[in-house]
Amino acid sequence: MTTTPAAVDAPDEEATVGRPVDQGAPPAGPRGALAALLRGPGGAVRVVGVVCVVVALAGRGPVDAALFSLVLAGLVVPVVGRVGPGLDAAYGLGLLAAAWCGALGLYEQVAWLDVVMHLVVTGLVAAVAHLVVARRTGAVVDPTRPAPGVTRAASVAVTASLGLALSVAWEVGEYLGNAYVDPEIYVGYADTIGDMVMGGLGSAVAGVLLLRGARRRDDATA
């Protein structure tokens, strides 16, 4: 899959976390797709993701192998949305950390870890999802672009809404996993509601941070 980075307005945009970065058009075909996937710190995280899949296939069993395969697919998403290198890497590390915590049973051993992961990782996922939807479909405003105050406030609501929707999808997945795959997957009313609340809160914070990053860029180029 070949992606072409969007044009930029100022030389210092490369420092912006969510802003698309102009790194030149990659070669066409498979070489271009591979170059895009391996570009920047996010590319290094994707290589780690491949290693995690191999480790899971070799010694962790089919459930963990399926989990890390899904994570690896998720690591490609920032490339589709031309997400900036900082957010790309943070998002990938968050997904891998969340997956390993589940595979190693750390959520059962550390009571607060599940809350932190839902707060932070859901926020990262919501930020990337917002940028992908904005840049690939135009259905919502790109939060890194200049916009009136009301539009910018609505942009935070979009990020939070995406995070809540993804949290619901995750909890449904946990329920189905408990019912049909592995009864050791923990589900419960309080856990489900708490996870969704933390996911929504983290996503709202992520929406504010996307706008703050764009405002700092605008101030620097004014």
Side-chain angles (χ1 to χ4, degrees):
M1 171 172 51
T2 304
T3 58
T4 303
V8 297
D9 300 321
D12 65 331
E13 283 181 330
E14 294 186 5
T16 304
V17 170
R19 192 78 170 181
V21 180
D22 186 3
Q23 298 177 341
R31 289 181 59 191
L34 184 61
L37 288 170
L38 297 179
R39 178 177 295 158
V45 175
R46 280 179 279 277
V47 172
V48 174
V50 173
V51 173
C52 290
V53 172
V54 173
V55 170
L57 286 170
R60 298 291 308 177
V63 174
D64 285 351
L67 171 63
F68 283 102
S69 297
L70 288 173
V71 169
L72 183 60
L75 296 180
V76 179
V77 174
V79 180
V80 178
R82 305 188 302 274
V83 172
L87 178 55
D88 183 5
Y91 161 90
L93 290 172
L95 288 187
L96 289 173
W100 274 114
C101 285
L104 298 175
L106 296 182
Y107 293 122
E108 291 77 21
Q109 299 176 34
V110 184
W112 49 264
L113 187 58
D114 184 56
V115 174
V116 172
M117 284 296 180
H118 277 279
L119 183 72
V120 176
V121 178
T122 305
L124 290 169
V125 173
V128 169
H130 190 167
L131 294 174
V132 170
V133 173
R135 293 170 183 173
R136 301 303 296 187
T137 72
V140 295
V141 174
D142 187 332
T144 67
R145 301 291 183 183
V150 173
T151 302
R152 295 169 75 87
S155 179
V156 176
V158 170
T159 311
S161 298
L162 286 169
L164 279 171
L166 291 168
S167 294
V168 171
W170 177 262
E171 296 304 322
V172 171
E174 282 193 342
Y175 169 77
L176 294 175
N178 172 271
Y180 301 107
V181 179
D182 185 356
E184 294 298 318
I185 298 174
Y186 178 74
V187 294
Y189 181 78
D191 176 73
T192 296
I193 297 301
D195 289 348
M196 289 192 295
V197 169
M198 289 298 102
L201 179 60
S203 301
V205 172
V208 172
L209 292 177
L210 282 175
L211 292 183
R212 290 187 63 184
R215 188 175 296 113
R216 285 196 299 267
R217 183 196 66 85
D218 294 339
D219 292 342
T221 57

